[in-house]
């Protein structure tokens, strides 16, 4: 059964462009679910990335509530938000941004290492299991520059998965990939989105992504103009 991972209630976001205040995201109400591949689409400047970064607690909304575990977290302290991001979300961006001086295994373990404690045996086992799941076990001790673009992006997804997030938040992760690599990455994300304890949210311009979506949210001028909710309400629970 799918569950509400994040609830946005009357969320807005304003920016000052040096001359005037612009409303980049207008009053937005959305429930983001686990066990769902949600695609956020729209033209450049429509507010897609703003919405994604608000969902991921990177950007603070101007007004409104962000509900996680039935608690409003929109205006918590930065330390509290950072701890929640680490626990609840995994981030995948257009470029894999792997650390070139570290091996694949070390890159995947980075989110556990920066918590201040030595990497645990449990985290190492989780890393090995994730790399095996992604078909990358034989590359654990390879360096990023030895991998293809598609392999690097799968390593980035593995890194995002290491803390078992409730949502994987992806910003154009396939736009720089060829068709074969894009298909492999999308197949990986689709499989991950089918877990009842995890969902995938992707911002994209890439039409190759659309057939993978369980739900399409379309933005224009900071407003949701269409929400397919194609996963069906019957699979959702509050």
């Amino acid at each position: 059964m799918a569950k509400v991972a994040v609830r946005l209630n009357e969320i807005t976001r304003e920016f000052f462009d040096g001359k005037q205040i612009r409303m980049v995201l207008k009053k937005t109400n959305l429930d983001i679910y686990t066990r769902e591949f949600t695609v956020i689409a729209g033209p450049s400047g429509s507010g897609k990335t703003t919405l994604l970064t608000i969902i991921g607690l990177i950007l603070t909304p101007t007004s409104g509530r962000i509900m996680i575990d039935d608690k409003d977290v929109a205006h918590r302290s930065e330390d509290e938000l950072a701890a929640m991001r680490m626990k609840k979300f995994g981030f995948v961006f257009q470029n894999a941004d792997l650390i070139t001086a570290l091996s694949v295994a070390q890159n995947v373990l980075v989110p556990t290492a920066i918590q201040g404690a030595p990497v645990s045996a449990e985290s190492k086992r989780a890393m090995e299991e994730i790399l095996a799941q992604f078909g990358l076990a034989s590359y654990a001790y390879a360096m990023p520059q030895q991998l293809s673009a598609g392999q690097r992006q799968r390593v980035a997804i593995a890194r995002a998965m290491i803390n078992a997030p409730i949502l994987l938040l992806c910003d154009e992760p396939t736009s720089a990939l060829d068709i074969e690599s894009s298909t492999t990455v999308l197949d990986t994300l689709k499989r991950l989105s089918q877990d009842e304890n995890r969902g995938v949210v992707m911002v994209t311009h890439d039409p190759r992504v659309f057939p993978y979506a369980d739900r399409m949210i379309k933005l224009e001028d900071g407003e949701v103009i269409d929400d397919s909710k194609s996963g069906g309400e019957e699979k959702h629970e509050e």
Side-chain angles (χ1 to χ4, degrees):
M1 182 69 72
K3 298 169 285 190
V4 176
V6 177
R7 172 166 287 159
L8 304 184
N9 186 358
E10 299 288 284
I11 290 293
T12 69
R13 177 65 196 197
E14 299 173 348
F15 285 106
F16 181 64
D17 64 8
K19 295 181 179 179
Q20 60 183 353
I21 294 174
R22 294 194 305 115
M23 184 70 77
V24 177
L25 196 65
K26 299 170 186 176
K27 284 188 178 180
T28 300
N29 296 283
L30 288 173
D31 288 347
I32 305 298
Y33 293 94
T34 63
R35 216 186 85 183
E36 197 162 72
F37 195 135
T38 299
V39 170
I40 302 173
S44 296
S46 61
K48 301 187 303 298
T49 298
T50 298
L51 178 58
L52 189 76
T53 52
I54 285 175
I55 291 171
L57 306 181
I58 294 173
L59 191 63
T60 301
T62 301
S63 64
R65 299 191 300 165
I66 304 173
M67 306 299 294
I68 298 177
D69 298 330
D70 295 321
K71 297 176 182 176
D72 182 9
V73 301
H75 299 284
R76 297 283 182 91
S77 72
E78 184 50 46
D79 286 346
E80 289 176 300
L81 292 175
M84 200 168 297
R85 281 195 298 271
M86 183 72 71
K87 181 179 179 182
K88 297 288 188 180
F89 305 115
F91 297 91
V92 184
F93 301 102
Q94 180 174 345
N95 298 312
D97 292 328
L98 302 182
I99 300 172
T100 58
L102 300 181
S103 69
V104 165
Q106 290 169 323
N107 268 282
V108 173
L109 288 167
V110 162
T112 66
I114 64 175
Q115 293 178 12
V119 176
S120 67
E122 181 181 359
S123 292
K124 291 179 181 178
R125 283 194 299 272
M127 174 271 295
E128 292 169 353
E129 290 172 3
I130 292 168
L131 288 180
Q133 180 184 358
F134 289 2
L136 294 167
S138 62
Y139 295 93
Y141 298 101
M143 305 304 286
Q145 53 268 36
Q146 296 174 291
L147 306 181
S148 69
Q151 288 170 329
R152 289 195 296 272
Q153 196 62 289
R154 278 187 287 154
V155 173
I157 297 170
R159 179 180 59 193
M161 284 291 299
I162 192 64
N163 286 328
I166 59 169
L167 288 180
L168 277 179
L169 302 176
C170 309
D171 192 355
E172 299 279 7
T174 61
S175 62
L177 301 180
D178 59 36
I179 293 175
E180 182 178 359
S181 297
S182 176
T183 299
T184 301
V185 167
L186 289 170
D187 287 343
T188 300
L189 290 170
K190 183 66 173 181
R191 186 173 70 252
L192 293 172
S193 73
Q194 294 168 343
D195 190 310
E196 67 179 18
N197 295 314
R198 179 175 53 247
V200 173
V201 182
M202 183 187 294
V203 161
T204 189
H205 289 97
D206 188 350
R208 295 174 294 183
V209 174
F210 300 162
Y212 289 82
D214 297 309
R215 177 185 184 186
M216 285 281 294
I217 297 171
K218 295 181 181 178
L219 292 184
E220 192 170 299
D221 294 327
E223 289 187 281
V224 175
I225 60 168
D226 188 45
D227 184 353
S228 69
K229 297 184 180 178
S230 58
E233 293 300 323
E234 70 278 359
K235 80 173 188 176
H236 296 151
E237 68 177 13
E238 295 297 325

